[in-house]
Every structure is written in C-alpha cells, then in structure tokens.
C-alpha cells in the first residue's frame, strides 16, 4: 500500500490502467488493463516512481492508493450523479460529439457542466496533494480540461503538461459551447498543451487569441502573468515492436489459421475493429460492403467481413440507438445475402484479449478503418505493425489523424458511399506488388515513430517550455 505519496511525476487521466475484479475467494482485487497509454508512460513512470491518478470505474468509495505491477495508483471515487453528469453527460454527450465535427448533436446541460467542474476540481486537488515540490504533472484528455488551471492555482511550483487524445474542433464549432472561455482558460494552466495534429494546435491558439484575448505567436501563447504556454502536435503511436513480436508467436499464428478455417477459407477477409461509436463510421462501411455483394461485385464465397464492435458507453442514448441500427443492418445483409455456413458479415459485439486481436489483424487481407472523425486511430497503426510479411491492404478515412502519416493507405471520404465502395474493391483487387509497395512504406513510418518516441518527445518538450517551472525528470532507465 502506498500512503503519503509524494511523487516527481504524476499522470492524471480519467481512467486508471486497471479494472476492479472479483477474486476467486470472493474478495475484490485489481487487474491491469493494458492499453496504449500505460505502455507509453510506464517506463518514465517507473524511472521516476511516478503515480497515476484516475477513476477505476464504478462507485466504490474509500479506495486507498495501491501498487499494481510496480505502478503506484491513486484511485478517485465517483458518485452515480457524477458518473451521469461528468462522464456520460458533459464528457461523452457534450464534448465528444462537439469535438468530433458534430457527427452527433451535442447536448448542453448546465447541471452536467456543474458536475464536470466538480470532478475536475477533485482531480486537481488530488494531484496537488500527491505531487512533490517542483514535480511534473501530465494531464490527459477531454474529461479533464479544467485540471491544468485549477492545479496551477493550487501549486504554482509544478510543471504541467496536457495532452488531448481526440480532435480539437475548428473555432466555428467550438464557439457553440456555452462554457468555451472557461475550457480554454482551463487548458492554459498547462505549460505545454499537446494535440494529435498541428491543425488542432492551430485551432486552439486561434481560439485563445479570439476568445480570451491573449497575445500569440506561432505555437506560443503569452499570458499577462509572464508565463508562456506552448501548443503543438504530438501524434500518438503504438508499441510497434511489441505487437510485431506478439503476432509472430506460435499461439497467434495458429489461432489466425484457425480463424481462416472457421470462416470457410474465403479468398479475402475484410476486418473492422472499433469501439461501438458513431464517430467510427461502422454503419456506412457495412452498407458499402453489403451493396458490393448485392451488385455482384463481391461474392460471399470469396469475401467475408469481420466486424468487431467493442461495447462502449452503453448508458448514453446515442450509443444505444447506434447499436440497434447496426444490429438491424447486419441482420438485413446476412438475411438477404448470406448462405448456409456463409454469413456475409461476422458481427462480434464483444471485446477480446490482445492475442485474439493480433490473430485477427494477422488474418485480415483488407483492414477497413473509416471514421467520420478520429483523433488518431490506433487500430490502423496496429494493423500495419502486425503485417510482418509486408502484405495486407489498409482502407483508411481521410478524417482519421492516422491518415496524415499513413499516406499509402487506400484513403477514402467516409461520407462518399460510392467512393468507399470503389476503395474497398480496389483494395480487394489490388495486385500483390502494389499491396507490398504500400505496406512497406507504411511499416517504415510506424517503426520510426512508436509510442515510446511519442511519450519521450512530449516529456522533453514539456521540460523545455520557456519560462515554465519544475525540476528535471530522470529518463527511463533503458534509454
Ligand atoms: C482515442 C481516440 C486515439 C479495441 N478493441 C479491443 C481492443 N481495442 C483497442 C485497439 C486500440 C484501442 O482499443 C482503440 O484505440 P483507437 O485509437 O482506435 O480509438 P479510441 O478508443 O477512440 O481512442 C483515438 C486514441 O484515443 C489514442 O490517443 O487514437 O483517435 O478516439 O488500441 O487495439 N483491445 C483489446 N480487445 C478488444 O476487443 N485487447
């Protein structure tokens, strides 16, 4: 048990990298939930004996800080009202659609905003409590945009970084938010505000100039108190080497062969892997595939689509509606076009272990990633990392952040159904040489820029922001 924590590095994120589980003896315990963020930050957290503050899910109270696999974790409690107002409400029904180009209509409720402020304040107070003198605090994502300013007020000695994992909208959309100025001022509490793409950083700087009235020059904001805030792009990535190792293990190779066999050894396997979210464009992509079958351009004997849709935000109404729509569409396509033992779409509303995901990536001949808007999209990068034989075609939305780096994918506009159908067909029919040429180029990009490089560049630049505070951190031991 870690009590009286005082850390030189504090990570603050909405979720902790663990889930609460029931142990065989009936007592409660923790299970690590490996994710991109923890892989990225773990080495520098360990080197500095850093702590991670976050919500473990649920409403359990009186949770003490604890250690799990060598990481110091500080759990935050949320009441049912706070989950509804802060998490399901303001974060996922106001900010999420607003920041994703209004793909769905955002709801504005004053009581959600109250809950958002309350929860942000509690996270900031906890960070202020556990951070050592001159420590670095790295705050993550849209659920906690007020934390930097609240924390700076409590602890002016800290070096504070903020990273937004989702897009930051253009001024024309952001302007709708009744609390736009407060959110901008919240972020300005940080020394460095990181985004996935440079366009997002530019949107932010422009809004700060227009709405808050601070002077700006390129990526710097000059505050009246003499501080500068930098806003820049740090495109997130994946643990490419780790995945490449995993996908070549005996178990994964065997499982991939089993999957292809179970599918009836089709000529080509299409794959989609997404949280079941309306930003991901699952409906339109399945419709495009269905139309190709109807028109006879594809045949269920040759082509099959596996769609993994991981359950997500099931308490939010728009997510329930989406689930019903996709259920109906898949039912219709399979009913109209499937044959005995050959459904057109294998629809899996579930989540799977990492090994199974790797086996699916290994099996897929055409990976289909078609979000209407996505900060980055790690699935696209993971697929590329898993294609050790330099084969496999990626169909990728122009509106995923990943499209800025993965230029050799078959890029599509997900709003253009005919364009998407053509891209699916082109990727399906492409000759081996063409597929290899494109995949080789993308693999080079992914290898050069992995998640460790992402975390290191953010931390290095946070340390270097002119006029910022705090002491220098130790680099990870193995670098
Ligand atoms: C947000 C931004 C940005 C999915 N199903 C399973 C599973 N996954 C893993 C994938 C991937 C991750 O979840 C999903 O990441 P994405 O980037 O695709 O999408 P979001 O969840 O929307 O993430 C996004 C990201 O933050 C990081 O900054 O790229 O733009 O929206 O790693 O592999 N993993 C396992 N089982 C599953 O069933 N184990």
């Amino acid at each position: 048990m870690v009590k009286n924590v005082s850390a030189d590095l504090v990570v603050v994120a909405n979720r902790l990298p663990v889930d609460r589980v029931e142990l065989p003896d009936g007592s409660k315990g923790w299970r690590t939930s490996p994710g991109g963020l923890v892989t990225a930050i773990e080495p520098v957290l360990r080197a500095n004996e850093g702590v991670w503050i976050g919500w473990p899910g649920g409403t359990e109270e009186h949770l003490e800080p604890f250690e799990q696999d060598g990481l110091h974790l500080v759990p935050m409690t949320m009441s049912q009202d706070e989950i509804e107002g802060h998490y399901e409400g303001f974060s996922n029904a106001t900010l999420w659609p607003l920041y994703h180009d209004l793909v769905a209509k955002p709801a504005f409720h004053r009581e959600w905003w109250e809950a958002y402020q309350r929860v942000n304040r509690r996270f900031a107070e906890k960070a202020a409590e556990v951070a050592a003198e001159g420590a670095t605090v790295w705050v993550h994502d849209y659920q906690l945009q007020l934390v930097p300013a609240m924390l700076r007020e409590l602890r002016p000695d800290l070096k504070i970084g903020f990273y937004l994992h989702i897009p930051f909208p253009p001024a024309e959309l952001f302007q709708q938010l009744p609390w736009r100025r407060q959110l901008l001022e919240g972020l300005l509490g940080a020394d460095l505000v990181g985004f996935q793409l440079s366009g997002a950083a530019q949107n932010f700087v422009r809004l700060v100039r227009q709405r808050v009235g601070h002077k700006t020059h390129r990526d710097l904001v000059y505050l009246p108190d003499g501080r500068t805030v930098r806003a820049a792009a740090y495109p997130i990535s994946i643990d490419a080497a780790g995945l490449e190792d995993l996908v070549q293990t005996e178990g994964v190779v065997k499982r991939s062969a089993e999957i292809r066999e179970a599918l009836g050894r089709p000529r080509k396997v299409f794959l989609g892997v997404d949280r079941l979210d309306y930003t991901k464009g699952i409906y339109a992509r399945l419709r495009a595939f269905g139309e190709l079958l109807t028109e006879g351009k594809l045949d269920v004997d040759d082509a099959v689509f596996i769609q993994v849709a991981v359950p997500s935000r099931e308490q939010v109404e728009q997510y329930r509606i989406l689930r019903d729509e996709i259920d109906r569409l898949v039912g219709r396509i399979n009913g109209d076009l499937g044959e005995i033992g050959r459904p057109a779409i294998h629809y899996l509303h579930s989540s799977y272990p990492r090994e199974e995901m790797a086996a699916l990536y290994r099996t897929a001949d055409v990976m289909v990633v078609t979000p209407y808007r996505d900060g980055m999209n790690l699935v696209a990068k993971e697929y590329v990392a898993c294609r050790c034989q330099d084969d496999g075609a990626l169909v990728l939305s122009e509106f995923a952040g990943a499209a800025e780096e993965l230029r050799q994918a078959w890029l599509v506009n997900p709003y253009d159904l005919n364009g998407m159908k053509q891209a699916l067909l082109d990727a399906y029919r492409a000759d081996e040489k063409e597929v290899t040429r494109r995949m080789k180029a993308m693999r080079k990009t992914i290898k050069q820029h992995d998640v460790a490089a992402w975390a290191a560049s953010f931390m290095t630049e946070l340390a270097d922001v002119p006029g910022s505070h705090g002491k220098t951190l130790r680099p990870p031991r193995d670098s």
Side-chain angles (χ1 to χ4, degrees):
M1 205 61 85
V2 273
K3 284 214 168 141
N4 304 322
V5 188
S6 170
D8 283 338
L9 174 63
V10 180
V11 169
V12 189
N14 182 57
R15 288 300 301 259
L16 278 180
V18 290
D19 291 319
R20 198 78 167 127
V21 287
E22 195 158 317
L23 300 173
D25 66 359
S27 67
K28 291 273 185 78
W30 300 101
R31 186 186 53 209
T32 313
S33 55
L37 194 55
V38 64
T39 315
I41 299 171
E42 207 180 309
V44 58
L45 262 183
R46 284 186 202 283
N48 292 280
E49 294 191 25
V51 305
W52 184 310
I53 298 174
W55 174 48
T59 53
E60 210 173 328
E61 289 177 39
H62 312 300
L63 295 166
E64 293 289 332
F66 62 100
E67 209 181 304
Q68 171 88 0
D69 297 338
L71 292 178
H72 303 296
L73 305 178
V74 178
M76 298 294 293
T77 304
M78 294 263 257
S79 68
Q80 190 52 39
D81 275 0
E82 285 171 346
I83 295 176
E84 284 165 23
H86 168 266
Y87 179 68
E88 291 162 5
F90 200 77
S91 297
N92 288 331
T94 306
L95 294 174
W96 181 266
L98 182 75
Y99 281 31
H100 285 89
D101 276 4
L102 308 190
V103 171
K105 194 170 162 45
F108 301 119
H109 294 298
R110 284 165 288 184
E111 59 278 23
W112 289 357
W113 166 244
E114 295 299 325
Y116 186 80
Q117 291 175 92
R118 240 184 358 260
V119 170
N120 271 253
R121 178 154 311 278
R122 269 221 324 282
F123 273 73
E125 283 166 358
K126 184 53 81 181
E129 191 186 310
V130 303
E133 178 72 25
T136 296
V137 180
W138 191 359
V139 184
H140 287 264
D141 229 359
Y142 62 104
Q143 303 92 348
L144 300 174
Q145 291 172 96
L146 302 177
V147 168
M150 290 172 167
L151 182 57
R152 179 155 310 278
E153 211 184 309
L154 296 166
R155 291 289 305 275
D157 59 300
L158 300 176
K159 195 183 285 281
I160 304 173
F162 180 90
Y163 187 77
L164 186 70
H165 290 255
I166 68 174
F168 191 80
E172 292 69 21
L173 302 185
F174 188 81
Q175 234 108 269
Q176 290 189 6
L177 195 66
W179 308 280
R180 58 200 178 189
R181 189 182 166 119
Q182 290 95 315
L183 281 182
L184 294 171
E185 284 175 340
L187 292 171
L188 287 171
D191 298 296
L192 177 61
V193 186
F195 299 88
Q196 301 275 19
L197 304 181
S198 54
Q202 285 156 15
N203 288 345
F204 173 72
V205 172
R206 185 175 150 216
L207 269 158
V208 165
R209 199 169 51 240
Q210 288 176 344
R211 289 279 148 206
V212 196
H214 292 323
K215 265 203 176 146
T216 66
H217 178 64
R218 292 173 188 249
D219 61 355
L220 291 179
V221 178
Y222 300 95
L223 302 188
D225 66 3
R227 264 193 331 117
T228 38
V229 179
R230 182 145 184 254
Y234 302 87
I236 200 167
S237 194
I238 53 159
D239 174 17
L243 255 180
E244 199 173 320
D245 287 347
L246 178 65
V247 81
Q248 295 182 90
T249 55
E250 205 187 317
V252 170
V253 173
K254 191 164 153 256
R255 177 65 190 141
S256 168
E258 272 170 22
I259 293 173
R260 194 168 270 278
E261 193 64 35
L263 294 169
R265 272 188 267 128
R267 220 165 72 75
K268 297 246 159 124
V269 176
F270 290 75
L271 174 67
V273 173
D274 312 78
R275 274 187 308 99
L276 186 49
D277 193 297
Y278 50 77
T279 60
K280 302 287 184 184
I282 303 169
Y283 187 94
R285 107 174 45 131
L286 295 180
R287 204 172 140 201
F289 183 73
E291 286 190 14
L292 289 172
L293 291 172
T294 309
E295 292 161 11
K297 293 183 175 134
L298 291 177
D299 193 293
V300 285
D301 287 331
D302 293 333
V304 63
F305 205 117
I306 305 178
Q307 175 65 54
V308 176
V310 181
S312 181
R313 306 175 190 170
E314 292 179 300
Q315 303 312 316
V316 180
E317 198 198 349
Q318 277 155 332
Y319 287 75
R320 291 198 199 139
I321 296 172
L322 176 74
R323 183 175 175 194
D324 288 346
E325 285 171 355
I326 294 181
D327 281 352
R328 270 200 301 276
L329 178 69
V330 171
R332 200 164 65 229
I333 294 175
N334 281 342
D336 289 349
L337 303 163
E339 292 166 9
I340 287 178
R342 289 198 179 276
I345 298 171
H346 287 254
Y347 177 59
L348 308 165
H349 181 248
S350 185
S351 75
Y352 295 92
R354 248 166 71 79
E355 291 71 21
E356 183 74 0
M357 303 300 295
L360 285 167
Y361 289 141
R362 191 180 173 100
T363 311
D365 304 291
V366 182
M367 183 80 213
V368 192
V369 182
T370 55
Y372 292 119
R373 181 60 71 193
D374 215 329
M376 177 54 61
N377 196 293
L378 297 180
V379 166
K381 291 189 168 181
E382 287 165 359
Y383 178 66
V384 171
C386 285
R387 305 306 298 185
C388 308
Q389 321 284 331
D390 292 332
D391 59 357
L394 174 65
V395 175
L396 178 62
S397 163
E398 294 166 19
F399 306 130
E404 283 206 359
E405 292 164 90
L406 303 177
R407 304 304 301 169
Q408 296 81 9
W410 274 266
L411 292 174
V412 292
N413 169 0
Y415 293 96
D416 170 11
L417 210 65
N418 282 345
M420 202 142 63
K421 282 163 68 180
Q422 193 56 52
L424 290 178
L425 220 46
D426 290 347
Y428 175 81
R429 291 176 176 160
D431 69 54
E432 219 174 281
K433 250 171 89 186
E434 174 70 3
V435 169
T436 301
R437 182 187 66 76
R438 292 181 184 232
M439 185 50 80
K440 262 196 172 144
M442 293 193 286
R443 288 179 58 74
K444 199 167 154 206
T445 307
I446 296 290
K447 281 187 183 169
Q448 277 168 355
H449 190 86
D450 70 356
V451 75
W454 167 78
S457 70
F458 185 91
M459 296 301 271
T460 310
E461 292 194 23
L462 176 56
D464 289 348
V465 175
S468 85
H469 316 258
K471 58 187 173 199
T472 310
L473 286 173
R474 282 186 290 277
R477 274 186 261 280
D478 56 353
S479 70

